[in-house]
Amino acid sequence: MLPGIVIFFALTGPLLAKFTPQLVGAVAGSRLGGLKVPTPTYTDSYIQWTKNLTQIVLIAVIIVYGSLVSGEVRSGTAVLVLTKPLSRRAFVLVKAVVQSVFLAVVVAVGALITWLLTLAIFGAAPAGALWSATGVFLVQGLLFVALMTLLSSVIGSAAGSAGAGLAGFAVLAIAAIWKPLQDYSPAALSSLPGELAAAKPASVGWPVVTSLALALVLTGLAGQLFRRRDL
């Protein structure tokens, strides 16, 4: 599911960036007194990509990974695996690492497709803005993989875990309104990819560091709490 969503947006994003302004100008131009729509550039393609990542793709990550651990428990796979010399902490850690690597690969492939299509459509596609924006989103994605690992370790249902994850998504979005959190916390990651895609000045150091640190804490806490869960 997740690869299909990412690849779909990678394939359609540059096309939407190219032709949407023309369609809007053709449909609404006569009604708005010959409104002139700015000519789209590769930046519009990059912004479209990051907008899809930080909204739809991130929500998909939350929903898909709502059963990351609890699904293994319900199916009985966790019991089978844990009968071998594998601790519960290691089980949770392996799940988080594998899914983090999987997400990184999928997003990297999507970014590569976006870059190639943008180059083909617009004739120019500087790689720096796209890859820096995608990298910052990936940090946000890894944070939510860690969060969903924790939630699915303590909540028995995928729907419950996903609901709690979406609540966390909303809290971070609201928290970004407060300037200190916007500058130093993971809350900044909601808007940073778009700023980087548009080649705007952006300070990414503290948000990235605090996000990765929080991801490690959440993953460690998930392993600790899963040890106490009845299987």
Side-chain angles (χ1 to χ4, degrees):
M1 175 183 176
L2 191 59
I5 293 173
V6 172
I7 300 304
F8 172 78
F9 287 130
L11 291 171
T12 59
L15 294 172
L16 285 174
K18 176 66 174 179
F19 296 111
T20 297
Q22 298 178 18
L23 293 174
V24 171
V27 173
S30 59
R31 299 180 181 179
L32 299 177
L35 175 67
K36 292 184 178 180
V37 180
T39 302
T41 67
Y42 67 86
T43 299
D44 297 290
S45 176
Y46 291 173
I47 292 174
Q48 183 70 43
W49 165 247
T50 56
K51 184 186 299 183
N52 289 330
L53 285 179
T54 56
Q55 297 176 8
I56 302 174
V57 172
L58 190 57
I59 290 174
V61 167
I62 293 171
I63 295 173
V64 169
Y65 291 145
S67 60
L68 184 59
V69 176
S70 60
E72 301 283 357
V73 174
R74 287 197 309 274
S75 67
T77 304
V79 175
L80 293 176
V81 172
L82 292 171
T83 56
K84 301 176 182 180
L86 181 69
S87 68
R88 293 196 181 193
R89 282 182 178 176
F91 173 76
V92 170
L93 178 61
V94 168
K95 295 290 292 183
V97 169
V98 168
Q99 295 305 323
S100 295
V101 171
F102 175 73
L103 177 63
V105 171
V106 169
V107 171
V109 170
L112 179 60
I113 293 172
T114 296
W115 177 69
L116 291 174
L117 278 179
T118 300
L119 181 61
I121 292 172
F122 293 97
L130 175 66
W131 288 104
S132 59
T134 302
V136 170
F137 163 76
L138 185 56
V139 172
Q140 186 183 34
L142 297 181
L143 173 60
F144 273 88
V145 170
L147 175 62
M148 298 316 298
T149 301
L150 171 61
L151 293 174
S152 64
S153 295
V154 297
I155 299 176
S157 70
S161 298
L166 291 172
F169 174 82
V171 167
L172 283 180
I174 295 172
I177 299 174
W178 191 32
K179 191 68 166 60
L181 291 179
Q182 187 181 55
D183 291 339
Y184 299 105
S185 79
L189 297 185
S190 298
S191 59
L192 278 177
E195 295 174 8
L196 292 170
K200 296 179 180 178
S203 178
V204 302
W206 275 111
V208 167
V209 169
T210 55
S211 296
L212 292 176
L214 181 57
L216 291 175
V217 170
L218 293 175
T219 303
L221 183 59
Q224 182 66 25
L225 293 177
F226 188 63
R227 290 179 59 199
R228 305 176 183 177
R229 180 171 174 175
D230 294 330
L231 300 181

